[in-house]
Amino acid sequence: MGSKLQIKTEYKDEDTEDEPVSPTGQYFNSKTMSVRVLGILESEISIDTSCAVPLLQELFLPINPRFSSIMVSDKKGVKKWKRVEVNLPDHVNIPNFPEGLSPEAYDDYFDEYLTEIAMKPLPSDRPLWDIHLITYPTSKAAGHLIFKLHHALGDGFSLMGALLSCMQRADNPSMPLTFPMLQPTSKANSKPVDDVGCLPKTLSVTYNTTCDFGWSFLKSSLIADDKTPIRSGGDGVEFHPVQISTIALSLDQIKQIKTNIGATINDVLTGIIFFGTRLYMQATGRDFCNSESTALVLLNTRNIDGYKSIHEMVKNDSETKWGNQFAFMHVALPALIDNKSSTPLEFISEAKEIIKRKKNSLGVYLTGQSLELIRKCRGPEVAAQFIHSTLQKSTMTVSSMIGPVEKMALANHECKGLYFMVVGVPQSLTITVLSYMRTIRIAIGVEKGYIDEQKFKSCIENAFQLIYKAAVKN
């Protein structure tokens, strides 16, 4: 791995011009913020490090010119993606741990290494990504492959699409990966428009939009959440070490809850996360059970029903194209009072109603337009400061992705598990959710030394068990 291998990926002539950096890409890689994404693949077998550089050359770099570009500013201060030659070995990291330890002992080394790379910025003088190959077995896998990518390269939809384009079905490589079907549009939404019936709906949307936009603006600029056991509220939280751990839940059991109570999978997962979070706050101190705590739920703003091919994502189509196309939705965590502990399904119902009302408004759209107005009038750095303030004044971020139904393989390394984490955000708690095969993987990133990671995991697992028992009983 010590030899130097220069790779200049060939693209079509029309792709060779420097591409402007999107506004969101500028926000995430600014003086105010540097947000990265970690994608962790758990391998069934030990990692063969010799195939890393050839695979990056043949599969990864051709996906998008941004993987062979650095971010630069022109004479007018406009940021662009500038194509460069990529020295692939510079991007490949293979740590050395002590030999001959047990998988449980390597768990600690892996966790510490994950914390270390999560907090380390990506060098700005080379393309904004790295990979890390962990060749030591842990209790969860025989080896790990970690993709570290700057969020300026794209959002979860784009980066997950890039990752999946490198994978094959383990059972039949000639067949494409498939994904869970999204919930179909309800028949009510397909009925002809009734002018009389539209009036109450229009009034409802107008009212919800006014409330949501006003509240979101105040939460982003003036009103901060309470300081709690899950929100330290200090300056520079994004520079504090983060501890990352995961919880695996049965997708079949989640679907059983969904069916029994007439909710969606997202409703169930949101309810579990919110309920578990409140249980942790209650276990730390009852005064925190009804504190002002807000979650920023990330929404994909593409009007599509699943992943598209890389060819479709790189073409100039506003609905499918590569980039950062998402928005934040402020969702207040329901308070946990005494009777909520005995009726945990009410937590899902409240979360469902809150999110339903939020979606029945144009608040997210207006917030996005306001951010764009700030960028045009005062520049991207001021807009980045506004996003930083939005994150800092809230309590937690929740984002979710859909993974394939079948087991995947990369260069004959079957993927046992898969999860991701967003790091570099000014919050003490970040939660991500990813489905893979028949499992829901909840990844938890906590401010190390402030949140008890094991206790928090236990509260999420307890919330799931309480909700499952209540749903099955019904």
Side-chain angles (χ1 to χ4, degrees):
M1 303 299 287
S3 62
K4 297 294 182 180
L5 176 63
Q6 297 287 341
I7 303 296
K8 180 67 173 180
T9 307
E10 296 297 330
Y11 295 94
K12 296 179 181 179
D13 290 341
E14 60 266 26
D15 294 332
T16 58
E17 292 186 3
D18 292 344
E19 177 191 3
V21 178
S22 68
T24 307
Q26 296 182 55
Y27 307 153
F28 281 163
N29 190 23
S30 63
K31 295 177 182 178
T32 305
M33 289 192 301
S34 179
V35 183
R36 287 89 62 192
V37 180
L38 302 179
I40 299 95
L41 281 74
E42 297 169 339
S43 175
E44 295 271 16
I45 63 174
S46 181
I47 300 292
D48 178 7
T49 60
S50 65
C51 63
V53 170
L55 284 174
L56 290 171
Q57 176 184 354
E58 296 166 9
L59 295 179
F60 185 70
L61 288 187
I63 290 173
N64 194 287
R66 294 187 190 182
F67 295 141
S68 302
S69 303
I70 61 174
M71 189 181 294
V72 298
S73 299
D74 62 17
K75 295 179 180 179
K76 297 181 179 179
V78 178
K79 291 186 176 181
K80 294 184 177 182
W81 293 107
K82 180 179 178 58
R83 296 284 300 282
V84 297
E85 291 187 348
V86 183
N87 186 35
L88 284 175
D90 286 347
H91 295 265
V92 179
N93 303 270
I94 307 174
N96 291 315
F97 298 161
E99 299 290 343
L101 302 181
S102 67
E104 290 73 21
Y106 282 127
D107 284 346
D108 294 334
Y109 281 94
F110 175 79
D111 290 344
E112 287 297 324
Y113 186 76
L114 201 56
T115 295
E116 178 185 341
I117 65 173
M119 304 315 298
K120 189 175 180 180
L122 286 159
S124 59
D125 59 349
R126 68 188 193 206
L128 298 172
W129 61 270
D130 277 334
I131 68 166
H132 300 260
L133 308 177
I134 313 298
T135 59
Y136 304 91
T138 66
S139 62
K140 293 185 175 63
H144 290 79
L145 169 62
I146 305 171
F147 276 89
K148 180 179 178 180
L149 307 109
H150 204 289
H151 217 322
L153 293 168
D155 56 16
F157 176 86
S158 299
L159 299 179
M160 181 62 72
L163 175 61
L164 295 176
S165 72
C166 300
M167 311 294 288
Q168 294 178 321
R169 277 180 58 160
D171 60 342
N172 189 346
S174 64
M175 295 292 291
L177 294 165
T178 61
F179 300 86
M181 293 293 292
L182 297 181
Q183 192 167 356
T185 304
S186 66
K187 293 182 179 180
N189 291 338
S190 61
K191 291 181 179 180
V193 176
D194 182 349
D195 291 340
V196 176
C198 276
L199 182 58
K201 183 177 181 180
T202 301
L203 292 175
S204 174
V205 171
T206 302
Y207 175 78
N208 289 338
T209 298
T210 303
C211 293
D212 290 344
F213 175 69
W215 186 61
S216 294
F217 187 82
L218 289 174
K219 293 296 293 182
S220 296
S221 55
L222 297 175
I223 304 175
D225 281 356
D226 295 335
K227 291 185 179 182
T228 66
I230 59 170
R231 180 179 182 270
S232 62
D235 293 332
V237 174
E238 61 267 40
F239 304 114
H240 296 179
V242 59
Q243 183 83 30
I244 300 172
S245 58
T246 66
I247 299 169
L249 303 179
S250 166
L251 180 57
D252 291 333
Q253 288 182 307
I254 296 292
K255 287 183 175 180
Q256 192 175 357
I257 298 171
K258 160 190 171 293
T259 301
N260 286 7
I261 67 176
T264 67
I265 289 179
N266 279 338
D267 292 336
V268 175
L269 289 171
T270 302
I272 291 170
I273 292 169
F274 285 2
F275 185 33
T277 301
R278 284 297 193 187
L279 289 177
Y280 176 82
M281 297 168 75
Q282 181 187 55
T284 308
R286 295 191 63 85
D287 292 341
F288 299 112
C289 295
N290 58 357
S291 60
E292 181 72 21
S293 300
T294 308
L296 289 176
V297 179
L298 271 64
L299 301 175
N300 181 7
T301 57
R302 296 173 176 84
N303 185 25
I304 53 177
D305 58 3
Y307 294 109
K308 301 300 179 183
S309 69
I310 292 299
H311 173 73
E312 289 176 300
M313 280 201 289
V314 297
K315 70 182 182 180
N316 190 24
D317 182 338
S318 62
E319 297 297 344
T320 63
K321 72 176 183 178
W322 186 283
N324 279 289
Q325 299 188 58
F326 67 92
F328 293 117
M329 178 171 64
H330 282 87
V331 180
L333 269 67
L336 179 63
I337 54 180
D338 291 339
N339 64 351
K340 288 288 175 61
S341 298
S342 58
T343 56
L345 294 184
E346 289 295 322
F347 228 82
I348 294 181
S349 298
E350 286 203 31
K352 176 182 177 181
E353 289 303 314
I354 292 171
I355 293 176
K356 181 180 178 181
R357 182 179 62 80
K358 292 281 185 179
K359 289 183 175 180
N360 188 33
S361 85
L362 300 175
V364 171
Y365 171 78
L366 289 181
T367 300
Q369 292 301 304
S370 299
L371 187 64
E372 179 65 9
L373 183 62
I374 293 173
R375 182 187 71 84
K376 289 181 177 179
C377 295
R378 303 190 62 187
E381 284 294 338
V382 176
Q385 292 170 12
F386 184 83
I387 294 179
H388 185 276
S389 176
T390 300
L391 291 162
Q392 188 182 42
K393 286 180 169 56
S394 61
T395 295
M396 59 193 287
T397 298
V398 180
S399 59
S400 61
M401 299 289 296
I402 298 174
V405 174
E406 302 87 9
K407 177 176 284 190
M408 304 182 297
L410 176 63
N412 297 320
H413 292 66
E414 291 191 0
C415 180
K416 182 179 181 181
L418 177 68
Y419 59 98
F420 73 101
M421 177 53 59
V422 180
V423 296
V425 295
Q427 293 176 319
S428 300
L429 176 62
T430 302
I431 296 180
T432 65
V433 182
L434 179 62
S435 66
Y436 176 52
M437 296 194 290
R438 309 303 303 174
T439 301
I440 296 288
R441 199 71 173 271
I442 299 178
I444 302 166
V446 304
E447 182 181 348
K448 195 171 184 179
Y450 185 78
I451 298 177
D452 186 331
E453 165 240 354
Q454 291 299 325
K455 188 175 182 179
F456 189 90
K457 281 178 57 177
S458 177
C459 288
I460 296 291
E461 291 168 340
N462 187 32
F464 168 69
Q465 292 298 332
L466 290 172
I467 287 174
Y468 180 73
K469 290 178 181 177
V472 171
K473 183 187 300 184
N474 291 347

